[in-house]
Amino acid sequence: MMLSRAKPAVGGAPPPADRRRKKGKKVPQLEELLALRDFTGAIALLEFKRHVGEQEEDADLWIGYSAFHLGDYKRALEEYEALTKQPACNPDVWVNLACTYFFLGMYTQAEQAALKAPKSRLQNRLLFHLAHKFSDEKKLMSSHQNLQDVTEDQLSLASIHYMRSHYQEAIDIYKRILLDNREYLALNVYVALCYYKLDYYDVSQEVLAVYLQQVPDSTIALNLKACNHFRLYNGKAAEAELKNLTDSASPSFEFGKELIKHNLVVFRGGEGALQILPPLVDVIPEARLNLVIYYLRQDDVQEAYNLIKDLEPTAPQEYILKGVVNAALGQEMGSRDHLKIAQQFFQLVGESASECDTIPGRQCMSSCFFLLRQFANVLIYLNSVKSYFYNDDTFNFNYAQAKAAMGNFSEAEEVFLLIQSEKIKNDFVYLSWLARCYIMNKKPQLAWKLYLKMETSGESFNLLQLIANDCYKVRQFYYSAKAFDVLERLDSNPEYWEGKRGACVGVFQMILAGREAKETLREVLHLLKSTGLEAIKQVEPAEQQRSAVRLQNIQQVGVFLLKLYWYFFSCTTLYSSFKVSGF
């Protein structure tokens, strides 16, 4: 997390020094405290001796060193800057100052200070990381060539591999070092973190357990364990792990507080995101991405876009999120340019060698083809991962749309009805597709019920048009006539009258064919009588007389068909009775 900082830290007050002197006990020596990594005690001892006039040799240097290892970089910076202003300053102080600048996110100052220090392996490693921060490939390769086959240099190389998403290369280096140095238990945490990034959460837990057996109160290890629980189980299980960490921490606990606050927001589903995440943007890389996700979930697409538009993606997750934001903005604004950018991001991830066989990679390819309206290809990729998303409403929404677009309306209806999210179920896209599925599956009455549940609006008007036209296409003329009738009342467009008239004739045909209930005929005639003459008034003057004649003829035919239908129905019933009676 500290190596990923992208802006200067605000800094804070140093943690209060623990009082370690107890009556009857010998005051420890500085070397003992440093060997025990008791940096709080070392600072307390050095400050006490400074106060009473018993100044240790290089006391200021050791205070800076101890403060740096405590994570109190602001205090370390003060000490090292004071030392550089002294005439007899040790040249090595400059590289220590540069490291402090680096951990504060002050990369320009870090480079300037590092170049003033004498050449050393530490200076080269620092310049190596700075080249990565500045995305300077030439300097990066130059520092890379100066790395030696020693543990510190190889660990630095592994960290660069990790930050460039080359997780397997980092694992190989860590494992090679562990083979020769079994006592380097902390490397198990790094290996576990790489496996976490590769989505091998079970493996990450197993490797992490080796370290936690020896160091059960490690902040970084417990935080990673919580993240694994979040991926394997849920946010509550993850939060419980972090609670154990915060409960056992001392009042002076400072290290990793920002990271824990960030992760608690994630584990709680975004609760407190606007209070916690904005100050952490560019401090914790995931903070920006999670804040973008939060804005997307709040339907604030423009704010999400503003936050991510200048981000140069380097990891698959960043490419995917930029694709999602551009797709959402493109749909909201009707922008083909944004949709094209989204399609390219999805294709880039889905076709990459590292992601093509992963679940996110296949989802990206399905999204790419979805934007290209190649739904046969969409289904190929979604079918390959659907077993992982049976109860995922968003997946089912897209899957059902692709099914319907390919004409698989029966299966599409089943998937649409699996969706539980009220937000999706109230979306017009969902309602219109489900209505079309009902109509194509010969359930127009259910489509009509969807319309009746809606409030009068532009969307309800569009749904009426869909019902009217789709029902007409599949010869569900009764509900087509009802829909055209309402459309005609709402908008005096002559086309709606023409559509209603044709649908009514279709109803008569269905009744004659025995495929429509007799009761519908009276309602159809009522529709014709109640609004037909009013509609004719909207027709062009040259057409009015012919339309009136056609209407009169249709109404007369309607009465004749009504009588004929009843005669036909009576005869059929009578014949059936005779047959049953044995005549």
Side-chain angles (χ1 to χ4, degrees):
M1 184 270 287
M2 292 300 180
L3 292 180
S4 300
R5 183 184 292 276
K7 73 175 182 182
V10 175
D18 294 338
R19 295 184 177 181
R20 297 178 177 274
R21 293 187 61 185
K22 293 185 178 180
K23 189 174 179 179
K25 288 191 176 182
K26 180 183 176 182
V27 177
Q29 297 298 310
L30 176 63
E31 293 78 7
E32 296 174 5
L33 294 171
L34 293 175
L36 294 170
R37 301 185 65 81
D38 185 357
F39 300 113
T40 302
I43 291 176
L45 177 63
L46 290 166
E47 287 183 334
F48 173 75
K49 288 189 174 183
R50 177 191 284 176
H51 180 69
V52 298
E54 300 177 8
Q55 183 84 346
E56 286 266 358
E57 185 179 359
D58 295 327
D60 296 339
L61 189 62
W62 284 117
I63 289 176
Y65 176 88
S66 300
F68 180 90
H69 284 79
L70 276 175
D72 186 2
Y73 303 113
K74 183 179 179 181
R75 173 69 187 279
L77 180 65
E78 293 172 353
E79 295 292 338
Y80 288 138
E81 283 185 335
L83 285 169
T84 59
K85 294 175 182 177
Q86 296 178 5
C89 171
N90 186 332
D92 290 331
V93 172
W94 285 104
V95 74
N96 294 338
L97 177 61
C99 290
T100 307
Y101 278 134
F102 182 88
F103 276 84
L104 285 170
M106 303 165 70
Y107 300 125
T108 301
Q109 296 91 325
E111 185 178 42
Q112 293 170 353
L115 293 174
K116 294 179 181 179
K119 291 188 180 297
S120 65
R121 291 205 301 267
L122 175 58
Q123 182 209 42
N124 183 65
R125 291 195 296 271
L126 181 58
L127 291 174
F128 187 39
H129 280 274
L130 286 168
H132 168 72
K133 290 297 178 186
F134 294 136
S135 300
D136 191 329
E137 290 296 319
K138 186 176 180 180
K139 289 183 178 180
L140 184 77
M141 295 308 299
S142 176
S143 297
H144 187 188
Q145 291 172 357
N146 293 328
L147 294 176
Q148 301 178 19
D149 190 15
V150 296
T151 301
E152 293 85 353
D153 285 7
Q154 290 303 304
L155 288 175
S156 185
L157 177 59
S159 69
I160 292 293
H161 278 312
Y162 175 85
M163 288 186 287
R164 291 165 73 93
S165 302
H166 303 159
Y167 303 118
Q168 190 57 55
E169 289 85 344
I171 289 173
D172 294 340
I173 294 174
Y174 290 137
K175 286 186 174 181
R176 187 169 66 248
I177 295 174
L178 272 170
L179 284 175
D180 298 329
N181 304 275
R182 295 284 184 182
E183 69 277 11
Y184 291 176
L185 289 175
L187 292 186
N188 288 288
V189 179
Y190 300 154
V191 175
L193 190 56
C194 289
Y195 279 124
Y196 173 85
K197 288 291 188 178
L198 290 170
D199 297 337
Y200 297 136
Y201 308 117
D202 290 326
V203 179
S204 178
Q205 284 290 77
E206 292 175 6
V207 176
L208 194 61
V210 176
Y211 181 74
L212 284 172
Q213 287 177 355
Q214 301 296 323
V215 190
D217 59 348
S218 167
T219 301
I220 296 298
L222 288 174
N223 176 69
L224 179 54
K225 183 180 179 182
C227 292
N228 280 324
H229 278 226
F230 177 69
R231 295 294 188 180
L232 291 170
Y233 308 112
N234 52 48
K236 288 186 177 180
E239 190 175 349
E241 288 296 328
L242 280 190
K243 190 174 185 302
N244 294 332
L245 173 61
T246 54
D247 287 348
S248 61
S250 66
S252 62
F253 173 76
E254 291 291 335
F255 180 73
K257 268 191 173 181
E258 294 173 334
L259 190 62
I260 291 171
K261 287 180 180 179
H262 168 274
N263 287 348
L264 280 174
V265 171
V266 177
F267 298 159
R268 292 169 179 170
E271 180 183 332
L274 294 180
Q275 290 75 36
I276 303 298
L277 297 184
L280 300 181
V281 170
D282 293 332
V283 174
I284 299 175
E286 293 82 359
R288 178 185 296 273
L289 306 182
N290 285 321
L291 189 55
V292 169
I293 293 172
Y294 174 81
Y295 284 133
L296 286 175
R297 288 180 173 175
Q298 301 301 312
D299 293 326
D300 194 348
V301 179
Q302 187 61 54
E303 196 64 37
Y305 177 73
N306 292 339
L307 192 60
I308 204 172
K309 64 180 179 181
D310 295 326
L311 175 70
E312 290 296 332
T314 57
Q317 293 84 356
E318 294 172 353
Y319 281 101
I320 293 171
L321 193 54
K322 286 205 76 168
V324 171
V325 172
N326 276 281
L329 190 64
Q331 290 178 326
E332 186 176 276
M333 297 174 58
S335 169
R336 291 182 178 272
D337 291 337
H338 285 294
L339 293 176
K340 181 65 175 178
I341 292 171
Q343 179 259 318
Q344 291 172 343
F345 277 131
F346 290 139
Q347 187 171 5
L348 186 65
V349 175
E351 291 183 346
S352 66
S354 61
E355 299 295 320
C356 62
D357 289 327
T358 65
I359 293 175
R362 295 187 179 190
Q363 286 180 290
C364 282
M365 285 309 299
S366 70
S367 299
C368 169
F369 286 121
F370 203 109
L371 293 175
L372 292 172
R373 296 184 175 276
Q374 298 177 16
F375 296 106
N377 291 327
V378 172
L379 290 175
I380 290 174
Y381 284 97
L382 292 185
N383 281 327
S384 69
V385 298
K386 69 177 182 179
S387 59
Y388 298 96
F389 298 98
Y390 181 79
N391 292 319
D392 189 293
D393 286 341
T394 303
F395 176 86
N396 286 332
F397 188 29
N398 292 330
Y399 188 49
Q401 288 181 79
K403 285 279 189 184
M406 288 301 296
N408 299 331
F409 296 106
S410 179
E411 294 179 20
E413 179 187 336
E414 293 177 6
V415 180
F416 274 125
L417 294 177
L418 290 175
I419 296 172
Q420 300 298 316
S421 169
E422 290 299 322
K423 180 180 178 181
I424 294 178
K425 290 167 73 173
N426 290 324
D427 190 282
F428 177 69
V429 175
Y430 173 88
L431 293 170
S432 59
W433 271 116
L434 182 58
R436 175 161 289 171
C437 289
Y438 282 148
I439 293 168
M440 297 303 171
N441 294 331
K442 302 187 183 303
K443 304 174 185 176
Q445 69 280 7
L446 297 180
W448 187 250
K449 286 183 179 179
L450 288 178
Y451 162 71
L452 294 177
K453 292 179 181 178
M454 295 181 70
E455 296 181 359
T456 302
S457 64
E459 290 184 348
S460 65
F461 188 83
N462 291 335
L463 185 61
L464 266 178
Q465 290 181 313
L466 183 146
I467 294 172
N469 289 291
D470 279 12
C471 284
Y472 199 100
K473 290 176 184 177
V474 297
R475 303 177 67 81
Q476 301 288 341
F477 295 116
Y478 174 64
Y479 284 98
S480 177
K482 287 170 69 73
F484 275 125
D485 180 62
V486 178
L487 287 169
E488 184 188 18
R489 295 171 187 272
L490 295 173
D491 183 357
S492 56
N493 189 329
E495 291 182 359
Y496 297 140
W497 157 241
E498 296 287 342
K500 183 175 77 169
R501 187 175 61 183
C504 289
V505 172
V507 173
F508 299 152
Q509 292 175 340
M510 292 295 104
I511 292 172
L512 286 175
R515 294 166 59 183
E516 189 66 71
K518 65 181 185 301
E519 291 83 1
T520 59
L521 193 55
R522 292 187 182 276
E523 186 174 347
V524 167
L525 289 174
H526 177 71
L527 295 178
L528 290 171
K529 291 177 180 179
S530 62
T531 60
L533 290 173
E534 296 175 8
I536 289 180
K537 295 177 183 178
Q538 306 299 325
V539 183
E540 292 292 334
E543 294 291 326
Q544 287 186 4
Q545 187 174 1
R546 289 197 298 273
S547 297
V549 172
R550 285 200 301 269
L551 174 61
Q552 186 177 7
N553 291 338
I554 287 172
Q555 290 178 337
Q556 290 174 350
V557 171
V559 176
F560 171 74
L561 286 174
L562 176 62
K563 295 177 181 177
L564 179 62
Y565 175 80
W566 278 106
Y567 174 77
F568 178 76
F569 179 78
S570 301
C571 290
T572 305
T573 305
L574 185 61
Y575 177 77
S576 298
S577 299
F578 284 162
K579 195 172 183 179
V580 171
S581 301
F583 283 87

